[in-house]
Amino acid sequence: MSASLEIQLLAVLVAAACALPGVFLVLRGTAMMADAISHTVLLGIVLVFFVVQDLQSPWLIVGAAAIGLVTVTLTELLQHTRLVKQDAAIGLVFPALFSVAVILISRFARGVHLDVDAVLLGELAFAPFDRLIVLGIDVPRALVTIAVVLIANIAFISLFYKELKLATFDAGLAATLGFAPALLHYGLMALVSITAVGAFDIVGVVLVVALMVTPAAAAYLLTSDLRRMLVLSVAIGVLSALAGYWLARLLNANIAGAMATMTGVIFLVVLVLAPQRGLLAKLVRRRRQQADFAATMLAIHLLHHTGAPTEAEEARIDHLERHLDWQPGYAARVIRHAERLGFIKSIAGHLQLTPTGYAKAQEVLAS
Amino acid sequence: MNPALEVTDLTVAYHDKPVLWDVDVTAPAGILMAIVGPNGAGKTTLMKAILGLTPVAAGSVRIDGKSYTQQRQRVGYVPQRGSVDWDFPTNVVDVVTMGRYGALGWFRRPGRREVDLAMHALEQVGMHDFAQRQISQLSGGQQQRVFLARAIVQDADIYFMDEPFQGVDATTERTIVTLLKQLRGDGKTVVVVHHDLQTVAEYFDWVTLLNVQCIASGPVGQVFTEENLRRTYGGRIAFVERDALATGGMALRSFAPAATAGGAD
Ligand SMILES: Nc1ncnc2c1ncn2[C@@H]1O[C@H](COP(=O)(O)OP(=O)(O)OP(=O)(O)O)[C@@H](O)[C@H]1O
Ligand SMILES: [Mg+2]
């Protein structure tokens, strides 16, 4: 496999692995936790590294997961004092733990292959050089790690799908039914931690956060079904990763940076264009409501003057503009819309209420 | 026979602030019981403590003679409607199906049977046509009905409902009352946090008056008195119509506006 293909495959797997737990973080309103955990796992890695003196040891994952849970616990403890809110608690805990890790690295681990730049931006471009023979096949080491992490994510979420859904939607009911939402919560956070460890080595902390939060947030705007949201989140993550890779090639820029940019770009596109919840859809809906309301108002106006001596006068289009204080252009648009809705007919400059329009006006007035 | 619910000497404190002081409540099986009291009286806390959702400082809770953890499957819980995120990506029938998760246990997925039960329950609360509707598109009254349908599919023996009447219109209120009576008819016990003092005597058999302490608990005819209400709400209780009180006998009225005491939160 060429290095280019390998890098793209890595990027795709990282994106998929991050997008899955990201869905639950977004739904629980704890997206900031992704930020916190993906930073503090570094401390876990450093501490375990001091003990085992090996950057390839699987114990690094265990240590990172443990620190991830410590982060969550500390944050929650701070929050329970009721002295600070959750966002502030996160903001207090993770820089503290992260900076300890940074100090430890710069003071004691210099010279070792563990540097702060790589932590922030990853070294995706160099990943293909560190290789491993698995089942007789020569593959990049990072590919093996991230494949294992992705499988762990898929396994955990499909195994506990029902329980995670319930605990996320209604933790109270989950608890009364005996589903231990706290345990699931920590399980999920452990999953986020190992995903962060597996991924940040490759793409760096910043992209880990972007890949966890952004695709899930975009998927949330696109569907109202949890299963579909999981699938879409993965799809959007993968798309961002590939688009980012090619953008980086094009601009000869940092791959992780380009990928993070693409998650943002795709999110923006979704935010504007999402069929139901997008900004454009909302705008169109608001416009339509306004138009419907104006058409109904017109129907009511005509109803009020039906049968009155002034009927012919009131129903004249030019009179309407004066009487309802509508701009000429606006009045014409409302009339067209009301005609389309079948509320009125215009005959030689005079408006006439149809039976439909009559019924509509009556209905609104009665309610 | 064991009482359906027996709360003894229950004390709950948040940090050092006692929210429930030495509360005793006993409810026989097959009754509808209202819990009433002013805002912050600890009604929600009492329910959560009974269900093991809030740690207790002292006291014990027995459900049909056993502890809650032994009776999980027999207890249904309808939390306050506002306690969940109605923008969660799912539809009505799926939420109702969640009521079966307890019976399914870990790992087993809901199937045809669970969905059928959910559809049947939705029919009972008049929400059959909304089965596929996104939950974000429901009105407050519809959300409440969905929660009730979810409780029905749990098929519990004792139900705890936190303000099921909050913010619903007269039609929905009637649907809920009919449903509560139906549950009682099936021999179930239902405990409801209620805010409308006017309708206590009409809807319920028993009542617990709560304000940090348990002021009184027993059959409506015996304990829902002006004196007890005054002790529960302090001076703010002048407006309960006499005929809504135990001493005035059963009230026969149409749906009056909410009582002045309490009010929705
Ligand atoms: N998690 C909490 N931490 C600290 N105090 C709490 C917590 N939950 C409730 N309280 C306090 O406990 C008291 C009782 O609250 P609770 O929600 O049980 O009242 P309630 O009777 O249900 O009121 P309402 O009629 O407003 O629903 C209140 O004073 C409230 O401020
Ligand atoms: Mg309450």
Side-chain angles (χ1 to χ4, degrees):
Chain A
M1 213 182 330
S2 76
S4 158
L5 259 181
E6 276 175 357
I7 291 176
Q8 289 183 63
L9 186 58
L10 263 172
V12 164
L13 294 188
V14 171
C18 290
L20 286 171
V23 165
F24 291 97
L25 290 177
V26 165
L27 288 177
R28 285 159 174 255
T30 51
M32 278 300 286
M33 229 18 147
D35 200 7
I37 289 177
S38 52
H39 279 88
T40 57
V41 288
L42 182 64
L43 182 59
I45 292 177
V46 175
L47 292 178
V48 174
F49 173 73
F50 283 147
V51 179
V52 300
Q53 293 292 328
D54 173 12
L55 264 183
Q56 253 76 59
S57 162
W59 286 106
L60 292 178
I61 296 221
V62 178
I67 288 288
L69 295 186
V70 167
T71 310
V72 175
T73 312
L74 284 180
T75 308
E76 283 169 1
L77 280 177
L78 254 183
Q79 218 182 317
H80 281 303
T81 63
R82 291 202 152 200
L83 298 174
V84 290
K85 294 218 164 30
Q86 195 203 20
D87 55 347
I90 291 176
L92 287 168
V93 170
F94 96 76
L97 297 182
F98 183 64
S99 51
V100 171
V102 170
I103 292 173
L104 287 177
I105 292 177
S106 58
R107 185 76 190 79
F108 302 109
R110 242 179 315 180
V112 199
H113 164 74
L114 190 70
D115 63 83
V116 178
D117 266 3
V119 168
L120 288 177
L121 287 173
E123 36 196 30
L124 188 47
F126 302 109
F129 298 123
D130 184 7
R131 303 193 77 87
L132 201 67
I133 308 282
V134 178
L135 306 170
I137 311 170
D138 178 28
V139 289
R141 179 190 301 279
L143 200 60
V144 179
T145 318
I146 200 62
V148 171
V149 168
L150 177 60
I151 290 168
N153 270 308
I154 294 173
F156 182 84
I157 289 174
S158 38
L159 212 57
F160 296 105
Y161 178 75
K162 159 173 131 262
E163 290 77 9
L164 281 170
K165 181 166 76 174
L166 179 61
T168 304
F169 175 62
D170 191 344
L173 185 71
T176 62
L177 293 180
F179 284 119
L183 208 65
L184 284 168
H185 173 64
Y186 282 103
L188 189 66
M189 292 305 157
L191 198 66
V192 169
S193 308
I194 66 160
T195 308
V197 183
F200 99 123
D201 200 25
I202 307 170
V203 294
V205 173
V206 177
L207 188 55
V208 169
V209 180
L211 285 176
M212 279 195 186
V213 178
T214 324
Y220 179 73
L221 294 174
L222 287 173
T223 178
S224 312
D225 178 272
L226 181 55
R227 247 176 249 275
R228 238 172 276 156
M229 184 174 165
L230 285 161
V231 173
L232 274 172
S233 177
V234 170
I236 292 171
V238 166
L239 190 68
S240 314
L242 291 177
Y245 174 79
W246 287 104
L247 181 70
R249 289 270 300 246
L250 204 70
L251 303 177
N252 195 15
N254 175 284
I255 302 178
M259 284 181 186
T261 308
M262 284 318 292
T263 60
V265 169
I266 293 185
F267 178 80
L268 268 182
V269 171
V270 170
L271 180 69
V272 174
L273 296 182
Q276 299 269 321
R277 305 186 185 185
L279 294 178
L280 208 60
K282 279 205 175 123
L283 193 70
V284 168
R285 206 154 46 226
R286 184 131 20 95
R287 279 283 161 79
R288 165 119 15 99
Q289 275 164 0
Q290 276 167 356
D292 285 354
F293 180 74
T296 310
M297 216 151 65
L298 181 60
I300 289 172
H301 175 75
L302 293 174
L303 176 72
H304 273 161
H305 297 285
T306 307
T310 53
E311 181 178 350
E313 169 73 9
E314 293 282 344
R316 263 190 22 232
I317 291 176
D318 53 352
H319 168 87
L320 210 67
E321 286 163 4
R322 238 179 320 118
H323 210 147
L324 296 178
D325 200 15
W326 281 350
Q327 300 295 321
Y330 184 64
R333 257 184 298 145
V334 171
I335 289 165
R336 268 205 308 281
H337 188 65
E339 277 179 324
R340 251 200 316 275
L341 291 173
F343 288 179
I344 57 167
K345 274 202 296 264
S346 106
I347 301 162
H350 281 259
L351 300 178
Q352 207 172 18
L353 208 53
T354 63
T356 319
Y358 183 80
K360 176 72 190 176
Q362 289 285 13
E363 177 198 319
V364 171
L365 288 176
S367 68
Chain B
M1 202 172 88
N2 286 320
L5 172 69
E6 195 173 14
V7 176
T8 345
D9 303 331
L10 188 75
T11 297
V12 176
Y14 287 115
H15 306 287
D16 54 352
K17 183 176 144 231
V19 177
L20 292 174
W21 257 135
D22 206 32
V23 169
D24 293 285
V25 175
T26 305
I31 56 149
L32 298 183
M33 179 164 89
I35 300 179
V36 299
N39 290 134
K43 305 178 294 295
T44 299
T45 305
L46 175 59
M47 275 200 174
K48 287 192 170 168
I50 291 172
L51 295 163
L53 294 175
T54 293
V56 305
S60 74
V61 174
R62 307 254 107 186
I63 285 164
D64 195 13
K66 299 205 189 101
S67 78
Y68 174 74
T69 31
Q70 290 169 289
Q71 300 282 38
R72 246 184 235 297
Q73 296 304 328
R74 300 178 54 194
V75 181
Y77 174 44
V78 181
Q80 253 172 307
R81 165 157 67 77
S83 68
V84 305
D85 173 16
W86 289 95
D87 282 325
F88 190 85
T90 189
N91 62 17
V92 166
V93 66
D94 193 46
V95 170
V96 177
T97 310
M98 288 177 187
R100 294 304 301 164
Y101 284 11
L104 284 169
W106 290 86
F107 306 119
R108 281 216 346 254
R109 300 285 177 86
R112 182 82 244 144
R113 191 181 116 79
E114 282 68 36
V115 173
D116 285 346
L117 284 168
M119 292 305 280
H120 185 67
L122 280 171
E123 222 160 304
Q124 275 175 278
V125 298
M127 286 285 291
H128 195 262
D129 295 337
F130 292 81
Q132 301 304 326
R133 181 75 72 97
Q134 292 314 316
I135 58 170
S136 55
Q137 295 168 10
L138 298 177
S139 72
Q142 290 166 342
Q143 292 172 350
Q144 200 63 62
R145 291 180 198 216
V146 169
F147 263 10
L148 283 169
R150 189 177 73 172
I152 294 173
V153 300
Q154 265 186 274
D155 194 26
D157 293 323
I158 179 164
Y159 284 103
F160 295 90
M161 306 187 179
D162 202 346
E163 301 196 32
F165 296 108
Q166 187 206 339
V168 304
D169 64 9
T171 325
T172 304
E173 180 152 340
R174 237 177 324 248
T175 314
I176 297 175
V177 172
T178 312
L179 194 83
L180 295 186
K181 299 205 161 149
Q182 213 170 312
L183 289 171
R184 178 180 58 188
D186 295 338
K188 298 170 191 291
T189 312
V190 187
V191 181
V192 175
V193 172
H194 194 55
H195 259 309
D196 182 4
L197 296 175
Q198 304 290 352
T199 50
V200 167
E202 190 182 337
Y203 296 167
F204 297 96
D205 315 313
W206 282 52
V207 63
T208 293
L209 295 136
L210 191 72
N211 192 352
V212 185
Q213 302 176 47
C214 176
I215 308 296
S217 180
V220 172
Q222 286 167 28
V223 305
F224 199 59
T225 60
E226 211 171 323
E227 161 66 12
N228 279 337
L229 280 169
R230 212 175 285 286
R231 285 171 56 208
T232 311
Y233 288 90
R236 293 177 286 151
I237 196 60
F239 302 108
V240 178
E241 291 166 37
R242 285 204 164 268
D243 64 355
L245 295 171
T247 41
M250 281 298 279
L252 281 176
R253 268 171 300 101
S254 59
F255 292 87
T260 40
D265 39 335

